[in-house]
Amino acid sequence: MRFVEHLPHETRQEDHVTITMSDGVRLSARIWRPTTSDTDPVPAVVECIPYRKNDLTSTRDAIHHPYIAGHGYACVRVDLRGTGESEGVLLDEYLDQEQRDAECVLAWVAEQPWCDGNTGMMGISWGAFAALQTAARQPESLKAIVIASFTDNRYADDMHYLGGAMLSDNLAEAGTMFAYATCPPDPGVVGERWRDMWRERLEAARPWVLEWLRHPHRDAYWRHASLNEDYARLRCPVLASSGWADGYSNAVTRLLANVDVPRRGLIGPWSHKLPHLGEPGPAIGYLQEVVKWWDHWLKGVDNGAMDGPMLRTWMQESVPPSTSYEERPGRWVAEPSWPSPQIEEVVHPLRGSVIMTADDEEPAPRARTRTVRSPLSVGQFAGKWASYNAPPDLPYDQREEDGGSLVYETEPLAERLEILGSPSVDLEVSASAPVAQVTARISDVAPDGRATRVTYGVLNLTHRESDEHPRPLEPGRRCRVRVPLNGVAQAFPPGHRVRLSLSTSYWPLVWPAPEPVLLTVHEDHGALTLPVRPTEEPDGMPQADFGEPEGCRPPPVTRLTEPEQAWNVSRSLVDYHSALDIVKDRGMQRYEENGIEVGLRAVEKYTSVADDFSSPGGRSAWTMRFSRPGWDVRVETSTVLTSNADAFTVDATLDGYEDGRRVFSRTWNETVPRDLA
């Protein structure tokens, strides 16, 4: 990244500004704005997230907010209520209270003498959710949004459930927020009342996974704040981005297809990162694009921000399987509109173990069936639902996974194949149990046999007709289902094969069904549909020129202890115990701007024994430490999730320490019945 030392506007920074909500709770904000805004008001850009502006996101914030402010904007970075130095408690994600708070923040900002009354919202992940959900409420001052790594469908396309099957990230994210929502404010900012604020957070805390387990189907809990309930609620322009390695790879194209506002989409090869910090690379000059967007929609500048294609995306070239890539080879491609008229949905029948083409001669009609009952080991090389690229968390070589799966393959490709969009698999199946799941994976198979997963999808077969009203299967009875796979842009070279793999488990990425299932695939109606894109670019479409990533230089951070990263798969052939151990330890760091020292360590562990479907369990444990001279506090959380055929059990602990002495402790042991999950 190129750090920019000189910007069009000189700026000032206010580290702790309080904004009072309608119920009297005060939120803490950091504000960057041009020095001239005292007399020459400017538009404002707001970001609302729960990840602590004073320390944990301060480096990231300092790269892009001063950069945008230096181009003539007031940037307002707000800690959600109950986080950082904001008052109150954070009880769950995306509650109505959070959106009301955001509306209050926008109204306050628009009324400030340094703001001209026009506002925008931006963010990645939670910040993008907040922007999109607030925009759907149509606050008066909000003129445009910029969002990255988001969803418009909280049930079907977030880190909780996928195809009606529960993701292990349901536990991992709950563990993350169990820790973040119980951290103390900084006494250097809020003074001696920090203990009372911290105590309030600790007393109010509960493991969020309990609430998420109680809503295994799409109900009012998930419909709340899901834009896809009514896309017409979004009435302001949106610049939306994500990455193919991210869990949120589907929302950009879905948004482009369904909203009727000025919109642009951008999808790179990235994991869960902002595009100017994108990993795997190439990262791009994203902030330049963001400033251009704000200039057009908040300042009325005629700068061509809406010229060119609706969607630009990175067409990924074939690569060997790896859990991490510094760069993904490929090229930027453009689509003038979405859905794209140049993409053809090509149907490939599944016959025997072959993915057929339109030119293949159909074999003589006969009843064909294949069966699969996957071991729990299928999925150990699946990687993370949403890659963060640290530790390396992308899927590894799929050959071992395919040993426990039904496999279909094309012949070696005679010519290059490119796909862009969401593939799908149509199947006619019968199962041996009332609750079953199927995972479909597409891999790029090189001539030497190495298999790189391209995309995948999961379906809890009880959700075959509805996420709102799932129905158990009748064992042995045939039913037709469609399994949608995540969107992707991928090239397959000549000589490579396209492989489709079907498995009845994908642990630990997906929590297994209550019992092992024998799935019978009746192949007369099986088909793989690929969104095939011409390899030639449409005439007149300008080439992408995003420029070099740039931003402001962040304040120095001193590393005090070394970080640790681990992603280890282990199996015992004595007791058949398998485990995935993940460590994400940032080490202790001192933020030199304010002197606060912070340590963050997260450990996840997922275990199972042989093919005992009552044995899977997961644990998410966090330690977060904050200190400076005269102040040393620590929060330790642990959430353990286990299950049997009838219920999930949550065992959780929360401990708070001051100066090494435990000052708070609470435990939970609760059971939630399984409901077709």
Side-chain angles (χ1 to χ4, degrees):
M1 170 174 289
R2 183 170 69 90
F3 292 122
V4 179
E5 306 296 341
H6 302 287
L7 293 165
H9 294 264
E10 183 182 346
T11 62
R12 68 161 56 100
Q13 175 178 320
E14 300 169 83
D15 288 332
H16 177 59
V17 177
T18 58
I19 305 173
T20 303
M21 300 295 98
S22 57
D23 60 357
V25 168
R26 293 176 295 179
L27 305 189
S28 177
R30 176 171 285 173
I31 300 176
W32 300 260
R33 59 187 178 90
T35 56
T36 56
S37 61
D38 287 335
T39 56
D40 186 11
V42 295
V45 176
V46 174
E47 181 182 25
C48 299
I49 53 176
Y51 303 126
R52 301 180 60 91
K53 63 177 175 52
N54 207 38
D55 38 63
L56 292 178
T57 69
S58 61
T59 296
R60 187 213 66 167
D61 295 345
I63 291 173
H64 62 259
H65 282 308
Y67 181 92
I68 296 170
H71 285 85
Y73 296 89
C75 286
V76 184
R77 162 68 174 87
V78 183
D79 279 337
L80 298 186
R81 78 165 56 203
T83 66
E85 282 63 60
S86 292
E87 297 175 347
V89 294
L90 183 64
L91 299 175
D92 199 352
E93 59 183 15
Y94 320 132
L95 297 176
D96 186 69
Q97 179 67 64
E98 178 188 328
Q99 289 126 40
R100 294 200 307 270
D101 286 351
E103 290 182 286
C104 283
V105 169
L106 290 173
W108 179 88
V109 168
E111 293 172 355
Q112 298 310 298
W114 39 258
C115 179
D116 67 5
N118 296 301
T119 65
M121 289 188 75
M122 70 176 293
I124 179 174
S125 197
W126 195 309
F129 279 65
L132 185 63
Q133 293 165 4
T134 304
R137 300 166 78 100
Q138 302 166 20
E140 182 179 357
S141 71
L142 187 63
K143 301 300 190 293
I145 59 175
V146 174
I147 53 179
S149 300
F150 64 96
T151 189
D152 55 344
N153 186 335
R154 291 186 54 219
Y155 177 75
D157 200 26
D158 197 2
M159 57 181 58
H160 306 291
Y161 295 90
L162 180 62
M166 188 177 75
L167 296 162
S168 62
D169 271 49
N170 199 46
L171 168 63
E173 176 64 7
T176 300
M177 294 315 303
F178 196 20
Y180 272 90
T182 53
C183 290
D186 183 355
V189 176
V190 302
E192 283 304 312
R193 64 194 184 103
W194 75 270
R195 284 191 186 86
D196 293 335
M197 294 173 65
W198 187 29
R199 187 80 186 188
E200 183 183 16
R201 296 175 188 182
L202 295 169
E203 293 283 1
R206 282 181 63 79
W208 292 9
V209 71
L210 286 166
E211 187 70 12
W212 300 342
L213 289 169
R214 293 188 181 109
H215 298 277
H217 312 149
R218 183 181 174 90
D219 57 14
Y221 177 83
W222 302 110
R223 288 194 293 270
H224 165 71
S226 288
L227 183 69
N228 72 326
E229 291 292 306
D230 180 8
Y231 284 107
R233 290 181 297 161
L234 183 66
R235 297 183 184 176
C236 69
V238 55
L239 174 61
S241 65
S242 191
W244 294 128
D246 196 354
Y248 297 105
S249 63
N250 303 306
V252 172
T253 51
R254 195 167 53 239
L255 197 69
L256 297 180
N258 286 287
V259 299
D260 187 21
V261 297
R263 58 207 186 273
R264 286 290 180 266
L266 175 65
I267 311 175
W270 314 302
S271 58
H272 199 67
K273 307 278 188 180
L274 284 164
H276 60 295
L277 305 172
E279 298 173 344
I284 64 168
Y286 175 67
L287 294 182
Q288 297 94 301
E289 298 296 314
V290 171
V291 168
K292 186 176 181 180
W293 186 259
W294 294 137
D295 283 349
H296 184 76
W297 293 111
L298 299 188
K299 293 182 178 179
V301 178
D302 185 9
N303 58 8
M306 292 302 297
D307 295 344
M310 180 179 289
L311 173 67
R312 286 200 184 276
T313 186
W314 189 253
M315 178 62 68
Q316 301 177 128
E317 293 292 337
S318 176
V319 290
S322 176
T323 57
S324 179
Y325 302 95
E326 288 189 13
E327 296 271 336
R328 279 299 303 260
R331 74 186 195 281
W332 289 106
V333 300
E335 296 296 340
S337 60
W338 194 268
S340 170
Q342 68 171 340
I343 293 176
E344 180 184 2
E345 300 290 327
V346 179
V347 179
H348 297 268
L350 305 176
R351 298 293 183 264
S353 59
V354 178
I355 300 174
M356 302 182 66
T357 70
D359 298 329
D360 291 333
E361 183 177 343
E362 280 275 2
R366 64 182 179 87
R368 290 179 293 268
T369 63
R370 299 178 72 195
T371 60
V372 61
R373 176 173 162 170
S374 301
L376 281 175
S377 58
V378 173
Q380 288 190 319
F381 299 149
K384 197 77 168 167
W385 174 81
S387 171
Y388 290 81
N389 213 46
D393 55 8
L394 294 173
Y396 193 49
D397 195 324
Q398 296 293 287
R399 284 177 288 185
E400 187 168 345
E401 310 277 62
D402 290 340
S405 309
L406 282 185
V407 173
Y408 303 82
E409 278 191 348
T410 65
E411 294 297 321
L413 298 175
E415 56 187 26
R416 181 183 176 89
L417 169 68
E418 294 185 1
I419 62 173
L420 173 55
S422 299
S424 62
V425 179
D426 289 280
L427 300 170
E428 185 167 348
V429 299
S430 56
S432 62
V435 180
Q437 59 186 225
V438 60
T439 297
R441 312 186 305 278
I442 293 177
S443 297
D444 168 22
V445 182
D448 64 4
R450 289 184 292 179
T452 302
R453 198 189 74 192
V454 169
T455 184
Y456 75 102
V458 181
L459 179 62
N460 177 341
L461 293 174
T462 69
H463 288 243
R464 62 197 179 277
E465 297 170 353
S466 169
D467 285 330
E468 288 83 2
H469 306 289
R471 294 189 300 112
L473 299 163
E474 181 181 330
R477 182 171 183 174
R478 292 163 68 155
C479 60
R480 294 189 183 183
V481 300
R482 170 165 287 185
V483 185
L485 279 66
N486 290 327
V488 72
Q490 181 67 43
F492 297 83
H496 285 222
R497 298 173 186 259
V498 179
R499 176 180 292 171
L500 170 67
S501 308
L502 304 177
S503 62
T504 56
S505 65
Y506 207 41
W507 167 253
L509 193 148
V510 179
W511 203 272
E515 59 182 304
V517 173
L518 180 69
L519 188 73
T520 301
V521 178
H522 305 269
E523 294 183 338
D524 288 339
H525 301 284
L528 168 65
T529 300
L530 295 177
V532 176
R533 184 182 191 274
T535 56
E536 300 295 326
E537 295 303 310
D539 293 335
M541 192 55 58
Q543 294 294 311
D545 182 17
F546 291 113
E548 181 185 0
E550 61 182 34
C552 287
R553 188 183 302 277
V557 176
T558 301
R559 185 172 302 284
L560 304 176
T561 65
E562 289 302 309
E564 179 186 357
Q565 297 179 0
W567 188 288
N568 297 318
V569 174
S570 62
R571 298 177 190 168
S572 168
L573 297 185
V574 175
D575 60 7
Y576 306 110
H577 180 278
S578 297
L580 168 63
D581 290 279
I582 303 170
V583 176
K584 295 176 286 185
D585 188 332
R586 289 174 45 165
M588 286 293 293
Q589 301 180 101
R590 182 170 58 246
Y591 296 87
E592 299 297 350
E593 189 175 39
N594 56 21
I596 192 168
E597 297 179 1
V598 179
L600 181 156
R601 180 179 176 86
V603 175
E604 295 175 44
K605 188 180 186 74
Y606 302 95
T607 60
S608 60
V609 179
D611 288 332
D612 180 357
F613 275 61
S614 66
S615 67
R619 179 174 184 255
S620 175
W622 283 69
T623 300
M624 303 182 78
R625 180 182 173 189
F626 304 87
S627 66
R628 62 157 57 93
W631 181 60
D632 187 2
V633 294
R634 187 171 83 251
V635 172
E636 294 183 355
T637 65
S638 172
T639 309
V640 176
L641 178 62
T642 57
S643 66
N644 56 31
D646 302 315
F648 293 102
T649 298
V650 175
D651 290 287
T653 61
L654 167 62
D655 292 290
Y657 295 84
E658 182 180 356
D659 295 329
R661 182 175 60 90
R662 187 164 60 186
V663 296
F664 183 90
S665 184
R666 179 165 293 176
T667 63
W668 292 261
N669 176 257
E670 298 189 30
T671 298
V672 179
R674 293 185 83 149
D675 185 0
L676 301 180

